[in-house]
């Protein structure tokens, strides 16, 4: 039964449709990055971040929906689904930070900071509402650890980001 659950989680029509959309937008982005695309610099300066945001919106939505879907298929509670969603968003934000540092992308780093803010608000307002004190303590310590690691990465790679 676990194999069929894994197949439902990873190989659903929703996943395929969103991956195709993200691939199309990503292909357009790669085309826009090429030097011989024939666009003016104003058009290129608008379309590059717009396609980046579109592709990431698709991937973010896909990751969010599949996290909630996986919890439902595996028989989790709504509270478990909320926690899985927060963890998924944290992982996505960490990936954005890493991409922003390695690729020197201010848009990626800014999106990561905004997503960290959203996750913090969600954890404080929604996820910890029904937790006992010990679980709340563990949640806040874990969140603090993730934020400290992100701050460490920013500080360690400050010269790469600025240069």
């Amino acid at each position: 039964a676990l194999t069929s659950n894994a197949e439902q989680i990873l190989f659903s029509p929703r996943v395929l449709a969103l991956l195709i959309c993200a691939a199309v937008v990503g292909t357009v982005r790669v085309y826009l990055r090429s030097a011989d695309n024939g666009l003016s610099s104003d058009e290129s300066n608008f379309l590059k971040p717009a396609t980046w945001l579109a592709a990431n919106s698709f991937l973010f939505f896909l990751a969010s929906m599949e996290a909630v879907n996986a919890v439902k298929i595996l028989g989790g509670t709504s509270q478990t689904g909320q926690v899985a969603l927060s963890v998924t968003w944290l992982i996505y934000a960490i990936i954005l930070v890493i991409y922003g540092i390695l690729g020197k992308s201010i848009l990626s780093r800014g999106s990561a900071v905004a997503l960290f803010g959203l996750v913090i608000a969600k954890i404080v307002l929604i996820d910890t509402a029904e937790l006992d004190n010990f679980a709340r303590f563990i949640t806040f310590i874990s969140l603090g650890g993730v934020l400290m690691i992100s701050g460490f990465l920013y500080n360690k790679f400050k010269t790469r980001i600025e240069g």
Side-chain angles (χ1 to χ4, degrees):
L2 186 59
T3 306
S4 66
N5 284 347
E7 289 174 5
Q8 289 175 344
I9 294 168
L10 297 175
F11 302 114
S12 69
R14 180 179 55 245
V15 171
L16 180 62
L18 286 170
L19 284 177
I20 289 171
C21 290
V24 167
V25 174
T27 303
V28 170
R29 177 148 171 79
V30 168
Y31 171 74
L32 290 173
R33 293 183 87 180
S34 69
D36 59 346
N37 59 24
L39 296 174
S40 71
S41 68
D42 288 340
E43 292 170 329
S44 183
N45 288 339
F46 171 76
L47 289 174
K48 284 180 183 178
T51 55
W52 186 92
L53 286 170
N56 274 285
S57 296
F58 284 126
L59 292 175
F60 180 73
F61 181 73
L62 170 67
S64 299
M65 291 302 296
E66 290 311 306
V68 171
N69 187 42
V71 170
K72 285 180 185 175
I73 289 172
L74 297 173
T77 64
S78 65
Q79 182 69 20
T80 307
Q82 289 298 319
V83 171
L85 194 59
S86 296
V87 169
T88 302
W89 290 0
L90 276 175
I91 291 169
Y92 199 87
I94 290 168
I95 291 169
L96 286 176
V97 166
I98 292 169
Y99 177 80
I101 290 170
L102 295 178
K104 297 181 182 179
S105 169
I106 193 166
L107 183 59
S108 178
R109 292 189 314 268
S111 297
V113 169
L115 188 53
F116 276 129
L118 180 67
V119 170
I120 290 168
K122 182 180 177 307
I123 288 173
V124 169
L125 298 174
I126 297 171
D127 295 348
T128 59
E130 297 178 19
L131 295 179
D132 62 8
N133 285 337
F134 181 72
R136 192 174 292 143
F137 170 77
I138 296 297
T139 300
F140 287 132
I141 292 295
S142 301
L143 179 62
V146 168
L147 293 174
M148 285 175 42
I149 290 169
S150 297
F152 172 76
L153 287 173
Y154 262 102
N155 192 30
K156 180 170 176 61
F157 296 104
K158 186 187 320 183
T159 56
R160 180 180 177 103
I161 293 169
E162 293 170 354

